[in-house]
Amino acid sequence: MGILAYMQRIGRSLMVPVAVLPAAAILLGIGYWIDPDGWGQNSIVAAFLIKSGGAIIDNMPILFAIGVAYGMSKDKDGAAALSGLVGFLVVTTLLSPNSIALFNGIDTKADDWLKHVPAAYGKINNQFIGILVGIIAAELYNRFSRVELHKALSFFSGKRLVPIVVSVVMLLVSAVLYFIWPTIYDALVAFGKYIKELGSVGAGIYGFFNRLLIPVGLHHALNSVFWFDVAGINDIPNFLGGQKSIEDGLATVGITGRYQAGFFPVMMFGLPGAALAMYHTAKKGNKDKTASIMLAASFAAFFTGVTEPLEFAFMFVAPVLYVLHAVLAGISLYIAAAMQWIAGFGFSAGLVDMLLSSRNPLAVHWYMLILQGLVFFVVYYVVFRFVIVKFNLKTPGREDEDTTVSSTESTQKKQVIGDTSKLAEQYLVVVGGKGNLTNIDSCITRLRLGVNDSELVDEQAAKALGAMAVIKLGKTGVQIIVGTQAEKIADEMKKLV
């Protein structure tokens, strides 16, 4: 497996723990709505909700260890998740300040003993370590989960063996981290400080690369630096922590949320404006088909912040538009950060998250993001329409006759689209049959497939079935963008294989 394909696997596995964040956002958001002044002090119901949401946010590192181990395991088994938990507990316990003090003969009874322990060990419980442990635990699970021991030790064979192996390996990992973690931590903190010092410009640069990395699925790795506690920024947990984050000195009103706020105008308004431009520039005979695609994708972007169905509609057929989209996203984040119009999210920058975050004490002039969004709707529409017409780009509805889906193919697509099992059968043929598949996985909108030969994958047939794009990652990796039914299709394909 190539490096890019492996990084894709890591990026996809990060979605497992990230998918827990909406639960925290909903609990905290409703709690803030019930008690907008006391944040739980004036209402037992609000207190329950805010504390429940806080429990998720406060334990994100361990959720990353469990989620990544589960997500990268070959068969998504609970034993892999348990191994991630075991590994994380071993590492964070061995490298905790108390343990480091013990190893170095520091008297913990002294009032200033913590001053003699490098600050890096006080931050060992973080998402970076969670991801690292999760990856190692998953690889050990994939290697040892089917190992059979001698009859005398047969009880510990197979999946029961993995947590034991992980605990031993983590002793070695901890020994290595004992020497290199302070250096890694200092480098991450320096990077975080550099970005923070750039202020609004840094937010804009982040927004640009966030969108630019989506085609290869590596934006999750970038997000982990800015959204979680890898480089000391921790934007999402600090924002969702609300008043508690302020009291603990972890968040500042008008600053926390700067790496989230600028996405709202783009996702809720900008991309729907681009969709309208693509509809208006579609060929007359294709307008109905284009309208149905654009309307559904625009609603998903506006309401939930899920933008991949829209982005993949033009990402590969008109890459110049996608680069412009990334530039506009960076500008949006810069404007929102510079003006200190702040809102946050637990899942994505859609209407639901905007409303839930509106009473968070860290939300500042969040309603101005709606005004900014209306402006970006017009900007996206004008820019997209001009570029599409000027350069005759083949966006949805403007394809040449020989690449458009025929009426027969459209009929076949309609027949299978409602039946996931039949659709899975069709995609199995598209990728070259069972013999060409080595791995089947998915994320929110993509089938992530391991294959023996990516040249056997029929791109046109995939698009005839409704796929928005096919991405070939070298010879052995393929992604097929199928929309929000990706997980169901992948499950059905696994049954067939």
Side-chain angles (χ1 to χ4, degrees), residues 317-344:
V317 296
V320 63
L321 285 179
Y322 195 79
V323 174
L324 287 172
H325 165 49
V327 170
L328 290 172
I331 293 172
S332 179
L333 263 78
Y334 167 77
I335 293 172
M339 301 302 294
Q340 291 197 1
W341 298 335
I342 302 296

Side-chain angles (χ1 to χ4, degrees), residues 51-67:
K51 288 294 184 182
S52 298
I56 297 173
I57 295 300
D58 293 342
N59 290 288
M60 283 306 297
I62 199 168
L63 293 178
F64 268 78
I66 295 170

Side-chain angles (χ1 to χ4, degrees), residues 377-421:
F377 179 91
V378 176
V379 170
Y380 264 80
Y381 177 81
V382 172
V383 170
F384 269 60
R385 181 161 187 162
F386 173 79
V387 175
I388 290 170
V389 174
K390 177 71 175 177
F391 298 101
N392 192 27
L393 301 178
K394 304 303 179 183
T395 48
R398 292 175 58 84
E399 305 94 337
D400 295 328
E401 293 301 321
D402 59 341
T403 60
T404 53
V405 179
S406 68
S407 58
T408 302
E409 289 173 323
S410 297
T411 302
Q412 292 174 343
K413 175 184 167 184
K414 288 178 182 177
Q415 289 174 346
V416 301
I417 199 72
D419 190 330
T420 307
S421 60

Side-chain angles (χ1 to χ4, degrees), residues 466-489:
M468 285 159 275
V470 175
I471 309 170
K472 295 183 179 180
L473 306 169
K475 185 179 180 181
T476 60
V478 174
Q479 291 184 4
I480 303 178
I481 316 305
V482 298
T484 52
Q485 56 184 339
E487 186 174 1
K488 292 181 180 178
I489 295 174

Side-chain angles (χ1 to χ4, degrees), residues 279-484:
Y279 165 71
H280 280 161
T281 55
K283 294 178 180 179
K284 188 174 181 180
N286 293 333
K287 281 190 178 292
D288 289 345
K289 180 183 72 175
T290 305
S292 63
I293 295 171
M294 292 298 135
L295 185 62
S298 295
F299 179 79
F302 177 81
F303 195 72
T304 67
V306 175
T307 59
E308 285 187 321
L310 250 179
E311 290 169 324
F312 278 99
F314 63 88
M315 182 183 294
F316 297 103
V317 296
V320 63
L321 285 179
Y322 195 79
V323 174
L324 287 172
H325 165 49
V327 170
L328 290 172
I331 293 172
S332 179
L333 263 78
Y334 167 77
I335 293 172
M339 301 302 294
Q340 291 197 1
W341 298 335
I342 302 296
F345 50 78
F347 174 62
S348 190
L351 178 64
V352 174
D353 271 292
M354 174 174 274
L355 293 177
L356 286 172
S357 73
S358 62
R359 293 210 178 190
N360 190 305
L362 288 161
V364 180
H365 303 310
W366 61 271
Y367 46 84
M368 294 300 294
L369 294 171
I370 298 176
L371 180 61
Q372 181 184 337
L374 293 173
V375 174
F376 266 73
F377 179 91
V378 176
V379 170
Y380 264 80
Y381 177 81
V382 172
V383 170
F384 269 60
R385 181 161 187 162
F386 173 79
V387 175
I388 290 170
V389 174
K390 177 71 175 177
F391 298 101
N392 192 27
L393 301 178
K394 304 303 179 183
T395 48
R398 292 175 58 84
E399 305 94 337
D400 295 328
E401 293 301 321
D402 59 341
T403 60
T404 53
V405 179
S406 68
S407 58
T408 302
E409 289 173 323
S410 297
T411 302
Q412 292 174 343
K413 175 184 167 184
K414 288 178 182 177
Q415 289 174 346
V416 301
I417 199 72
D419 190 330
T420 307
S421 60
K422 289 184 179 180
L423 198 55
E425 291 177 9
Q426 295 283 345
Y427 275 114
L428 200 56
V429 174
V430 164
V431 299
K434 299 178 183 179
N436 194 39
L437 278 173
T438 59
N439 185 60
I440 301 172
D441 220 322
S442 66
C443 63
I444 295 175
T445 58
R446 315 181 192 197
L447 294 176
R448 296 176 180 261
L449 309 173
V451 295
N452 292 313
D453 186 358
S454 61
E455 293 302 316
L456 297 178
V457 178
D458 190 335
E459 294 185 43
Q460 290 302 320
K463 291 178 180 178
L465 288 174
M468 285 159 275
V470 175
I471 309 170
K472 295 183 179 180
L473 306 169
K475 185 179 180 181
T476 60
V478 174
Q479 291 184 4
I480 303 178
I481 316 305
V482 298
T484 52

